[in-house]
Amino acid sequence: MRTAAKLNENTTAEIRLKPGRAAIVFLCLGAAFVVLVARSFYLQWGEKVAFLQTRSDERFVGSMEIPASRGVILDRNGKELARSLPVKALLVRTNVLEISDKHLKTLATAAKAMPEADRVRAEANIKKLEEKRVALAKILKMSVDALRKKIDDERSVVYLAKRLSPDVADQAMALKIKGLDDENGYWRYYPLGDLTGPLVGYTGEGDSGQEGIELALQSALQSTPGMRRVLRNVKREAIEDIETVTLPKKGADITLSIDTRIQEYAYTALKEAIEKHKAKAGGAVVLDARTGEVLAMVNLPSFNPNHLDERQSAGKKNRAIVDQFEPGSTFKPLTVAFAIDSGKVTPQTMVSRDNGELVIGKYKIHDAHRSTGAISVEDVVRQSSNIGCAKIAFTMTPQQMWQGLTDAGFGVPTGTGFPGETPGRLMPAKRWDKTQQATISYGHGVTVNLLQLARAYTIFTDGELKPVSLYKVSEPVYGKPVIRGETAAKMRHILERTTERGGTGTRAQTPSYRVAGKTGTANKVENGKYSETKFVGSFVGFAPAESPRVIVAVMIDEPMNLHMGGQVAAPVFAEVVEKSLFLMNVPPDRAEANFALPPAVDDDFAETI
């Protein structure tokens, strides 16, 4: 038993470690455990962090604008005058573009150092990229050299084309060229081109109005783009939508008072007159006599807002509103109306023309035919007598006459809000002397725009000056009383007689409707003096004569052969009135079954300039 106990004691002694060696063993085991834990942590978290870091370098969150459509401009019948069409733009990011010369040269240099098998594959890839460049040039309808010049730009982003149809842009994107991107947008399109160009205007960069209605109603027509958050890759391509931050808001649609059919009638008639008389320019305005709505506003020369090069031309100016001119004898009916309304004269009052010459201080006023003897107030208008009109004006004080003209809308804007409108010029009455009162009475020494002149003739409808509008009116329109209703009726009769034989406006007559109006001819002012060779011929009138539905004002600037308003402007009036009233379903009011227009010869009484 003692022997066994001794054996066990010796065995135990052999198994026990010395204190120093035990410490070493435990340290090794502890170190191994720490390594295992660290490795485990790295495998579970470190590589994941590195992976996510790499992915974050490749993907990032950004914002992207959602384009919205600008409001549509419509005519009174819903025909589109301006609309925004969806388009795309193609752009390249030159620092990553794989079809640029710089990138292809880099690939070619690298390929030379590759083993043969790899070099063959690299060269095949280069050829494929060159083929993509050729295909892109073909899609964009440009030469390969032109494309190369564009994409080898030093700028980081270069637009290859804008206003592309989505189909064309999609063809380009289908090539899958790294560094090629597209953007959604809208392009403003004007279906009627130069027919409505100066009136509607156009938009520029950022879809903002630059001229015309587009500028006048910019705040209403303008859209508000939306915004969305997207996930982008290293190519800056949007690869995933995250959320929509704000929704896009379309601009408001605007309905104009214009009837494009009447606009076309006026455009065609005016263009023919300008070409026939080799005139510098011209304008025509058609108003609804009851509401003051502008049914047509035509200017020539014109321009097509769809063509960028035409936007710099003089034709973009809306002459009917922004240009001013001396109205000449179209002013005489207004002077006569104020005198009749004030009780100073009647249509039958006789007015002496002295010896065909009226002397005022150092100035002399003449009539075209130097006729002597007295004529009635009615014939002063019919025969367009300067002397007679001046004498009628002298029955009123300058203040009375000025007040009448101001009430008729002269010297102040029409209120349309059209950009660049001129208010014309009408001197205060306190600055008038006798000569100025005389010349203003027959339309010299005062300037107007064509819309002002057309609006003034609304007083002959019922005595009220109608507010004019370029936008469709749905509510009843109330004008400002200027003359009495009975005075307006007398003037309608006088102005109808002016278009009949013996008056200056015979060429304004139409086969179907009785018309009324007045011719005007004025020397143009150049360098502060009246030109002896340059004129403005005009005609303003309405129809049907007894119950007006339309008012038409026509102006021809610098006609070359004939120059009287009755010769160059009245025929335009006649054509526009005839077609417009038929379109508006106004019954013809000519009593004569076989009415024949007067022959196209010089008027019985040439208008006095």
Side-chain angles (χ1 to χ4, degrees), residues 67 85-93 136 140 157-170 172-173 179-187 205:
L85 301 177
V87 293
K88 285 191 175 184
L90 280 181
L91 57 94
V92 292
R93 306 187 190 281
L136 179 60
L140 297 178
V157 176
V158 176
Y159 282 86
L160 299 181
K162 296 181 179 180
R163 304 190 184 97
L164 288 174
S165 70
D167 289 344
V168 173
D170 290 345
M173 294 304 296
L180 177 67
D181 203 356
D182 62 354
E183 287 182 351
N184 293 319
Y186 288 93
W187 173 59
E205 291 296 326

Side-chain angles (χ1 to χ4, degrees), residues 1 81 149 153 164 179 193 206 212 217 238 259 267 283 293 297 300 302 347 351 377 381 427 471 476 537 574 578:
M1 292 295 294
L81 305 180
K149 288 179 181 178
D153 197 288
L164 288 174
L217 296 183
D259 188 316
Y267 181 92
E293 292 172 289
M297 181 175 285
L300 287 170
S302 185
V351 181
V377 167
V381 178
M427 288 190 302
Y471 312 105
E578 180 83 359

Side-chain angles (χ1 to χ4, degrees), residues 194-443:
D194 56 0
L195 186 64
T196 56
L199 173 63
V200 175
Y202 61 92
T203 60
E205 291 296 326
D207 212 21
S208 59
Q210 302 296 304
E211 296 282 352
I213 297 297
E214 292 277 30
L215 175 58
L217 296 183
Q218 166 64 15
S219 59
L221 290 165
Q222 187 177 30
S223 62
T224 303
M227 193 66 66
R228 60 189 173 120
R229 295 180 67 207
V230 296
L231 191 63
R232 296 181 183 271
N233 60 18
V234 290
K235 300 178 183 179
R236 301 185 62 86
E237 297 169 334
I239 58 175
E240 184 180 340
D241 276 344
I242 297 178
E243 64 174 333
T244 298
V245 179
T246 56
L247 293 172
K249 183 179 179 183
K250 180 181 177 296
D253 294 343
I254 301 297
T255 301
L256 301 186
S257 58
I258 298 296
D259 188 316
T260 52
R261 298 167 297 179
I262 298 177
Q263 181 85 358
E264 186 172 4
Y265 298 154
Y267 181 92
T268 302
L270 184 67
K271 184 176 182 181
E272 289 175 354
I274 288 176
E275 291 174 350
K276 178 179 179 180
H277 300 293
K278 299 179 175 59
K280 176 183 176 182
V285 171
V286 182
L287 297 183
D288 185 311
R290 298 179 178 179
T291 65
E293 292 172 289
V294 179
L295 301 178
M297 181 175 285
V298 172
N299 299 270
L300 287 170
S302 185
F303 82 109
N304 187 340
N306 294 312
H307 300 159
L308 295 179
D309 56 334
E310 291 193 31
R311 295 182 178 184
Q312 306 305 317
S313 70
K316 69 182 183 181
K317 184 166 60 171
N318 188 356
R319 297 172 182 271
I321 290 184
V322 304
D323 273 5
Q324 55 186 347
F325 62 97
E326 291 196 348
S329 297
T330 57
F331 237 46
K332 290 173 182 173
L334 299 164
T335 301
V336 171
F338 302 145
I340 291 175
D341 201 61
S342 64
K344 305 296 183 181
V345 298
T346 70
Q348 290 72 43
T349 300
M350 301 303 292
V351 181
S352 172
R353 288 184 289 182
D354 300 335
N355 294 316
E357 183 177 274
L358 178 63
V359 179
I360 305 176
K362 62 180 181 179
Y363 298 100
K364 295 179 180 180
I365 296 175
H366 300 283
D367 282 348
H369 293 284
R370 302 292 179 91
S371 302
T372 60
I375 57 174
S376 68
V377 167
E378 179 178 301
D379 283 338
V380 166
V381 178
R382 291 182 65 231
Q383 299 177 21
S384 201
S385 169
N386 287 350
I387 294 174
C389 194
K391 287 195 169 186
I392 293 171
F394 293 154
T395 65
M396 299 176 283
T397 67
Q399 181 62 35
Q400 286 176 318
M401 186 171 154
W402 177 88
Q403 189 63 58
L405 292 172
T406 301
D407 289 344
F410 296 107
V412 293
T414 60
T416 62
F418 194 89
E421 177 182 0
T422 174
R425 185 185 74 250
L426 178 64
M427 288 190 302
K430 62 184 179 181
R431 294 173 55 188
W432 292 13
D433 57 22
K434 210 165 184 64
T435 302
Q436 288 167 329
Q437 185 175 6
T439 56
I440 288 173
S441 75
Y442 52 80

